[in-house]
Amino acid sequence: WKSIRDLLFCDEMTLDELNGLMVLLACRGICKSPDFAKIVPPRDRTRHEQVLSYAVENLQAYLPSLASLKLESYQHLGPVVDILKEFNFAQFLQGENNPHSVFLLQNGLSNQGEKVLKMCLLSQVCILCGVTGTVTLKGSLFLNEANGRCLVRALHALQQIHELDPHAVYWKYIQSRAEALNLPVMTPAHMVQARLACLTRCVDQQRAMKVQDDWLQLT
């Protein structure tokens, strides 16, 4: 948890910014309600993030917590939601998306400050913490030690999004996952196996070796 906090620079965010982000996450949950989504025009409700974006811009009257935010709390929420629409961090974490998704994130951040990136990543981490919220509220079943280590590697990779090209960011993350599982990363075929390990949710060496064995049988 300390590594995650340090990577997201949580201590550098003001109380108003953190408050705004928590309100945004609460609104995101409300926007998943089919009844609430009916308020939104059909063209803006094909995805949850679209509903959230429309609500942040136009439906403050229906969301008192959002309407009562100070300017410092509110001003970054629109850009954060725009990035959430384009980049799915959970898919990046599992290797499900591709370098083009990283490009979309990079492009979305081109006119935004570092603050927006930090708030966006923090919101995604909070969302992952609540993945099993319907099962238990005693901690996070999903974000355990094994998945938490993968999360830290993903945050490490995305911190360099302003310095590296999208392909480098993406494959650097995949490589870090492979190295953590003691998989080789010397050839393109090795990188394919590394991505397969991510796609099949391998977080321990035993499962990774099973994926490697299955790959060798195919080839």
Side-chain angles (χ1 to χ4, degrees), residues 9-55:
F9 298 96
C10 294
D11 294 337
E12 296 181 11
M13 293 186 186
T14 67
L15 183 60
D16 286 333
E17 289 167 346
L18 289 171
N19 182 48
L21 195 59
M22 295 303 107
V23 170
L24 179 67
L25 291 171
C27 292
R28 181 179 181 273
I30 295 172
C31 289
K32 290 185 176 182
S33 166
D35 292 331
F36 184 86
K38 291 176 182 177
I39 306 173
V40 178
R43 68 178 183 276
D44 294 314
R45 64 182 189 217
T46 57
R47 296 165 53 204
H48 295 316
E49 289 77 10
Q50 286 183 300
V51 177
L52 178 60
S53 179
Y54 186 89

Side-chain angles (χ1 to χ4, degrees), residues 47 49 81-88 101 104-105 108:
R47 296 165 53 204
E49 289 77 10
V81 175
D82 289 340
I83 292 173
L84 292 177
K85 288 192 296 184
E86 298 294 338
F87 181 76
N88 190 314
S101 297
L104 293 176
L105 173 61

Side-chain angles (χ1 to χ4, degrees), residues 18-196:
L18 289 171
N19 182 48
L21 195 59
M22 295 303 107
V23 170
L24 179 67
L25 291 171
C27 292
R28 181 179 181 273
I30 295 172
C31 289
K32 290 185 176 182
S33 166
D35 292 331
F36 184 86
K38 291 176 182 177
I39 306 173
V40 178
R43 68 178 183 276
D44 294 314
R45 64 182 189 217
T46 57
R47 296 165 53 204
H48 295 316
E49 289 77 10
Q50 286 183 300
V51 177
L52 178 60
S53 179
Y54 186 89
V56 168
E57 295 295 331
N58 303 285
L59 299 179
Q60 292 93 338
Y62 293 87
L63 302 165
S65 296
L66 187 65
S68 64
L69 290 176
K70 298 178 181 178
L71 177 61
E72 185 181 2
S73 302
Y74 182 82
Q75 62 182 344
H76 297 301
L77 298 189
V80 169
V81 175
D82 289 340
I83 292 173
L84 292 177
K85 288 192 296 184
E86 298 294 338
F87 181 76
N88 190 314
F89 179 72
Q91 290 182 354
F92 178 79
L93 190 67
Q94 305 295 355
E96 294 174 6
N97 53 21
N98 52 47
H100 181 67
S101 297
V102 180
F103 167 77
L104 293 176
L105 173 61
Q106 197 175 60
N107 190 54
L109 291 169
S110 60
N111 296 321
Q112 305 296 336
E114 191 73 16
K115 182 75 69 175
V116 172
L117 174 62
K118 295 172 184 176
M119 293 182 70
C120 180
L121 292 179
L122 178 57
S123 67
Q124 295 277 21
V125 170
C126 291
I127 291 168
L128 289 175
C129 287
V131 165
T132 54
T134 57
V135 178
T136 178
L137 296 178
K138 295 181 179 179
S140 174
L141 288 180
F142 173 79
L143 203 56
N144 53 25
E145 181 177 357
N147 288 329
R149 292 184 184 278
C150 296
L151 176 67
V152 169
R153 293 185 181 92
L155 293 175
H156 267 299
L158 291 177
Q159 276 196 326
Q160 296 180 295
I161 195 165
H162 294 300
E163 290 79 31
L164 303 177
D165 68 78
H167 281 83
V169 172
Y170 181 82
W171 289 109
K172 183 175 182 179
Y173 167 64
I174 299 296
Q175 180 177 340
S176 71
R177 290 285 303 273
E179 290 171 345
L181 296 169
N182 290 324
L183 294 176
V185 291
M186 301 298 294
T187 68
H190 290 157
M191 297 306 293
V192 171
Q193 294 175 53
R195 190 182 180 207
L196 284 174

